[in-house]
Amino acid sequence: MLRKLIVSGFVMTSFIQGGMATPQDQVQNHQFSTLTIVNHPLVQHKLTLLRHKKTKPILFRQLLEEIGLLVGYEVTRALEVKEKEIETPLTKMTGAKLKNDVVIVPILRAGLGMAGSLQTLIPTASQGHIGISRDPETKKAIEYYFKIPEVKGQTFIVVDPMLATGNSVIAALEGLVKRGVPIENMIFMALVAAPEGVKAVTAKFPTLRIFTAALDEKLNDHAYIVPGLGDAGDRIFGTL
Ligand code: URA
């Protein structure tokens, strides 16, 4: 089924798999087949509040955390479960438990603003941290910190609110691949993405599943997302 949607202020045409498993609040993007836009009304409502330039860090953090829960719910929909035999007070039954352990990997520092939501959803998950800074001149990514648990089949959810040029995300994913994490075991969660960033990441990792609350219009000359929300790290931590 073909339908038109207004996302981030411009009209997008999207393919929805009629009758298939895609929930109404998810939009598969026809340009990027591995990209899912979480189009839930609450996500879009909260994102609009978050984008507003007058929104102060205290509310910004709260909204980011709430959106993180809603987007995280969709991200974790893809996690596999395995059978688990248990006994209720009444009878034996076969329940389900997550098949693989999960590692939440915020890209520092803005990723920290959404990592807590994933940790709330999956309290047993461990956390890794990847520090990537952006050279202001070349916009190239520089890895300055990398700490993850021993790799043994976990699902890695890499999180960074702003998918702009894609350089930091690509550097983070390459860092994980280099340390033995297969790309099939990774999911990337963003808040706002630019088409340029999605294009760059999917060119490098064509099968990577990417989730975002919005696909914005473009990058400006300073590699900021437009309309975007400004510098996510500064707005989270009040360092404007
Ligand atoms: N990083 C941000 O925080 N904001 C952007 O718009 C781009 C990169």
Side-chain angles (χ1 to χ4, degrees):
M1 173 168 60
L2 187 66
R3 88 173 188 189
K4 290 218 156 142
L5 289 157
I6 297 178
V7 176
S8 304
F10 61 97
V11 177
M12 278 186 0
T13 307
S14 302
F15 290 95
I16 307 292
Q17 296 167 334
M20 300 291 282
T22 309
Q24 271 196 327
D25 52 13
Q26 285 187 25
V27 180
Q28 300 305 135
N29 184 272
H30 75 282
Q31 191 187 354
F32 305 111
S33 62
T34 55
L35 176 70
T36 300
I37 300 166
V38 180
N39 192 39
H40 189 288
L42 279 178
V43 172
Q44 298 309 317
H45 172 86
K46 288 172 191 292
L47 179 59
T48 303
L49 293 172
L50 186 88
R51 286 180 189 273
H52 199 293
K53 65 178 183 185
K54 295 215 164 127
T55 298
K56 297 228 168 0
I58 186 167
L59 180 58
F60 192 94
R61 282 194 295 272
Q62 188 186 320
L63 289 164
L64 188 58
E65 199 179 316
E66 290 166 2
I67 297 171
L69 289 171
L70 293 160
V71 176
Y73 178 80
E74 298 299 345
V75 170
T76 51
R77 190 186 287 281
L79 298 181
E80 286 181 69
V81 290
K82 63 179 180 190
E83 290 186 350
K84 164 97 176 150
E85 306 295 331
I86 59 155
E87 266 182 67
T88 76
L90 302 177
T91 184
K92 290 187 175 178
M93 69 162 283
T94 306
K97 66 173 291 198
L98 288 181
K99 192 167 164 194
N100 301 314
D101 289 337
V102 174
V103 184
I104 302 158
V105 189
I107 300 178
L108 303 177
R109 70 186 161 145
L112 293 172
M114 291 180 102
S117 315
L118 290 169
Q119 192 77 70
T120 301
L121 290 173
I122 318 164
T124 53
S126 39
Q127 258 192 58
H129 295 95
I130 302 179
I132 306 280
S133 60
R134 187 161 68 147
D135 186 301
E137 293 301 313
T138 63
K139 311 285 182 268
K140 283 220 166 107
I142 304 159
E143 181 186 301
Y144 65 87
Y145 186 79
F146 203 104
K147 181 82 183 173
I148 56 166
E150 188 192 339
V151 179
K152 38 185 181 189
Q154 308 99 316
T155 301
F156 284 72
I157 306 179
V158 179
V159 51
D160 191 351
M162 308 305 280
L163 174 49
T165 60
N167 290 346
S168 326
V169 181
I170 291 169
L173 299 175
E174 283 178 341
L176 288 167
V177 169
K178 201 165 81 186
R179 288 155 177 102
V181 184
I183 197 73
E184 317 80 80
N185 291 2
M186 298 184 212
I187 308 174
F188 178 64
M189 170 167 143
L191 172 73
V192 178
E196 294 91 331
V198 182
K199 201 169 163 195
V201 174
T202 51
K204 202 95 195 169
F205 301 105
T207 57
L208 177 77
R209 291 158 291 170
I210 305 174
F211 289 77
T212 185
L215 180 63
D216 273 11
E217 204 183 322
K218 60 175 183 185
L219 292 181
N220 70 11
D221 294 342
H222 304 284
Y224 275 84
I225 301 175
V226 179
L229 49 80
D231 189 297
D234 282 344
R235 297 198 64 186
I236 294 166
F237 296 109
T239 48
L240 279 169

